[in-house]
Amino acid sequence: MSIGVFDSGVGGLTVHHRLVERFPRADFIYLADQANAPYGGRAGEEIVDLTRAGCVRLFDAGCNLVVLACNTAASVALRRLQQTWLPGYRRDVGRPVNVLGIVVPTIEAATGLPWEHEAERRGDKVEKLDVLGVFSTPATARSRVYEIEIDKRRQDVAVFSEPCPELARMIEAGAAREALAEVISGHVKALATRIGRAPDRAILGCTHYEIVADLFRAALPAGTPLIRQPDATADALERYLARHPELDPGHSAVRRFLTTGEPGAQNGLVETFWGGPLNFEPA
């Protein structure tokens, strides 16, 4: 059996890379839905349908666990799939399967609290607010998942989201770093203007953005902590697999890369990030 990693494009490779480092003997299959990328501007029902189709493709390929390495899919589709689709699908295939996302681990890392924790609402005055900026796709920003879930757990953290409509598409297309830096700088300034100051911390709420994390660091005030989704996801998956030995991740170090788009070598930006060429098979 294998672990599946799903994203609309190449951004999820940032999470995949860290998972491979953490679980070097496990078998992994990565699926990029590049024919429909990016998801950030799509309607909610479309995102649910596309995410379900990606999960089915990975389960058919032999995965028993799929990690949604896509903030948009995890924010918009994951809960629906877990509640209304997975129970029946498990009965149909007759084996244990599950779908996890990257939003829950990110919120745990941002709050320092387990997902199960919910703060008691006392209405006490907060002496000092920790201002957290979230850079994301428009669909993730519309879902308000970070604002809602962090507020449930920490009353001293104020969350402000900045949607970045074209950034994932530019990264997917291998845009020049100068153009990416200009767009990122514009979004950082827009967020600071809305807040009235720079955020104390930031979440790169789209896995594509991790590829250009250095450009976000350069645009933000020096020393601004970035909450790293790949690290948070790897930590959470390690805990999850320890609790669920029935979801065997394999032991042959298989690495497959699939795409619904054009197969073959990926763009230079991805190659630089990954540390070598990547060739995708047709899904």
Side-chain angles (χ1 to χ4, degrees):
M1 306 304 287
S2 305
I3 297 172
V5 181
F6 176 76
D7 185 29
S8 63
V10 296
L13 290 170
T14 57
V15 172
H16 181 59
H17 192 269
R18 191 58 46 86
L19 296 182
V20 168
E21 290 178 335
R22 184 69 62 89
F23 307 99
R25 295 181 59 198
D27 300 331
F28 284 95
I29 303 175
Y30 183 89
L31 172 60
D33 187 16
Q34 291 175 302
N36 297 295
Y39 283 7
R42 291 185 176 274
E45 287 303 316
E46 277 187 291
I47 295 167
V48 172
D49 290 343
L50 291 169
T51 304
R52 182 191 300 111
C55 291
V56 169
R57 177 66 183 88
L58 286 166
F59 289 143
D60 287 347
C63 298
N64 52 13
L65 181 65
V66 172
V67 177
L68 299 183
C70 172
N71 281 269
T72 302
S75 300
V76 176
L78 179 58
R79 184 170 294 183
R80 277 269 304 276
L81 296 181
Q82 288 175 331
Q83 293 178 346
T84 66
W85 172 67
L86 265 176
Y89 184 82
R90 289 190 189 105
R91 290 193 298 270
D92 291 344
V93 297
R95 60 186 173 97
V97 295
N98 204 3
V99 182
L100 306 177
I102 58 174
V103 170
V104 169
T106 305
I107 289 170
E108 290 180 328
T111 60
L113 295 167
W115 181 254
E116 296 78 16
H117 178 87
E118 288 200 15
E120 184 181 349
R121 314 303 290 187
R122 298 187 178 188
D124 296 341
K125 181 179 179 181
V126 176
E127 294 297 329
K128 185 182 178 188
L129 275 177
D130 175 12
V131 177
L132 178 62
V134 181
F135 298 95
S136 70
T137 67
T140 299
R142 284 195 303 271
S143 78
R144 294 183 53 79
V145 64
Y146 286 105
E147 289 90 337
I148 293 167
E149 297 299 340
I150 289 175
D151 182 65
K152 286 180 184 177
R153 293 157 178 81
R154 292 277 301 272
Q155 290 180 274
D156 61 339
V157 178
V159 181
F160 294 85
S161 290
E162 171 67 15
C164 309
E166 295 300 321
L167 188 53
R169 190 187 303 275
M170 292 175 67
I171 294 169
E172 190 79 22
R177 282 177 59 82
E178 294 78 9
L180 291 166
E182 184 178 355
V183 170
I184 289 168
S185 177
H187 284 302
V188 169
K189 289 176 183 174
L191 181 64
T193 299
R194 215 152 32 84
I195 298 172
R197 65 177 180 87
D200 298 308
R201 298 182 292 154
I203 292 174
L204 302 186
C206 170
T207 48
H208 282 80
Y209 303 171
E210 186 74 24
I211 296 175
V212 291
D214 61 315
L215 299 181
F216 276 96
R217 284 197 199 91
L220 288 160
T224 302
L226 293 182
I227 294 166
R228 310 298 295 272
Q229 291 194 307
D231 292 331
T233 305
D235 292 343
L237 183 59
E238 188 168 26
R239 295 191 297 268
Y240 182 83
L241 289 174
R243 297 194 306 270
H244 295 276
E246 74 277 9
L247 295 174
D248 182 6
H251 309 281
S252 302
V254 169
R255 308 284 182 261
R256 292 182 64 198
F257 300 88
L258 310 177
T259 180
T260 60
E262 186 176 344
Q266 297 303 297
N267 68 53
L269 190 65
V270 173
E271 184 172 328
T272 300
F273 156 75
W274 189 262
L278 272 180
N279 282 289
F280 280 24
E281 308 169 33

